[in-house]
Amino acid sequence: MSSTRIEQLIDNVQAAFDRRPTDIETGLDVEDTALLQLRKACRLLAGAEALQDASYYTLVIEASFVAIERTVEFRLLERGTMQPDDLPGTHSGVYREAAAAGVFGESMAADLADLWRDHRAKTYYQDGLASAARADAMYELATEIHAYVTGRSRQGHECICGETT
């Protein structure tokens, strides 16, 4: 593959994102930006569960971290604490904003930021070892935070966004 081919593919992708989509993933075409973030979180958790069964532990860890952030962003948007254009641009910023808004305490926010900083990148760049135990623990944390933030039971019940988690 040449750099010319890659440049063409980049242009194709850019054009795809520049056009209004017509074949949108079912359930994500909503006007409510808070609900959109929550549905993304639910889909990430469902995907993580499927990937866990396939032993794709790195992807489970990644999806779990992102699901936590989308769940927190839902609550910030839903409460009116933030607007879609004002969402934090950093992972730790999401947790700081959640603590400031009372979604959870500052200690938990700091712990989540430390977890992201110390272990998400470590899975990719340092020890490179995504294991079943790490994936299981991360997925369990993500589902618990999702339940805590949304006020719903942990698994097997319909989320407030209409998805079953």
Side-chain angles (χ1 to χ4, degrees), residues 45 48 52 60 64 68 133-147 154-155:
L45 290 171
Q52 193 171 27
V60 171
S64 296
I68 292 168
R134 291 174 179 184
D136 290 346
M138 196 61 222
Y139 177 76
E140 184 174 5
L141 174 64
T143 59
E144 282 294 330
I145 288 174
H146 188 80
R154 191 164 160 253
Q155 288 184 329

Side-chain angles (χ1 to χ4, degrees), residues 19 22 25 28 30-31 35 66 77 108 124-125 130 142 151 153 165:
R19 289 188 297 272
T22 56
E25 183 178 338
L28 294 184
V30 296
E31 296 295 321
L35 179 60
V66 178
L77 291 166
M108 186 185 297
Y124 288 100
Y125 307 115
S153 60
T165 58

Side-chain angles (χ1 to χ4, degrees), residues 35 38-39 42-43 157-165:
L35 179 60
L38 187 59
R39 285 198 175 151
C42 287
R43 303 272 171 100
H157 297 280
E158 189 172 282
C159 181
I160 58 177
C161 74
E163 299 278 319
T164 300
T165 58

Side-chain angles (χ1 to χ4, degrees), residues 72-84 86-87 96-103:
V72 170
E73 288 173 350
F74 151 74
R75 188 54 77 200
L76 294 172
L77 291 166
E78 183 263 342
R79 286 185 177 174
T81 305
M82 303 205 81
Q83 297 302 311
D86 297 329
L87 288 172
R96 266 194 313 275
E97 289 296 330
V103 175

Side-chain angles (χ1 to χ4, degrees), residues 44 48 51 56-67 69 91 115-131 134-135 138:
L44 285 160
L51 293 167
Y56 288 113
Y57 305 131
T58 300
L59 293 172
V60 171
I61 292 167
E62 178 69 12
S64 296
F65 273 112
V66 178
E69 290 179 27
H91 305 283
L115 185 67
W116 187 89
R117 184 190 66 243
D118 295 343
H119 298 293
R120 184 211 165 259
K122 183 178 180 180
T123 300
Y124 288 100
Y125 307 115
Q126 292 171 359
D127 71 15
L129 302 175
S131 68
R134 291 174 179 184
M138 196 61 222

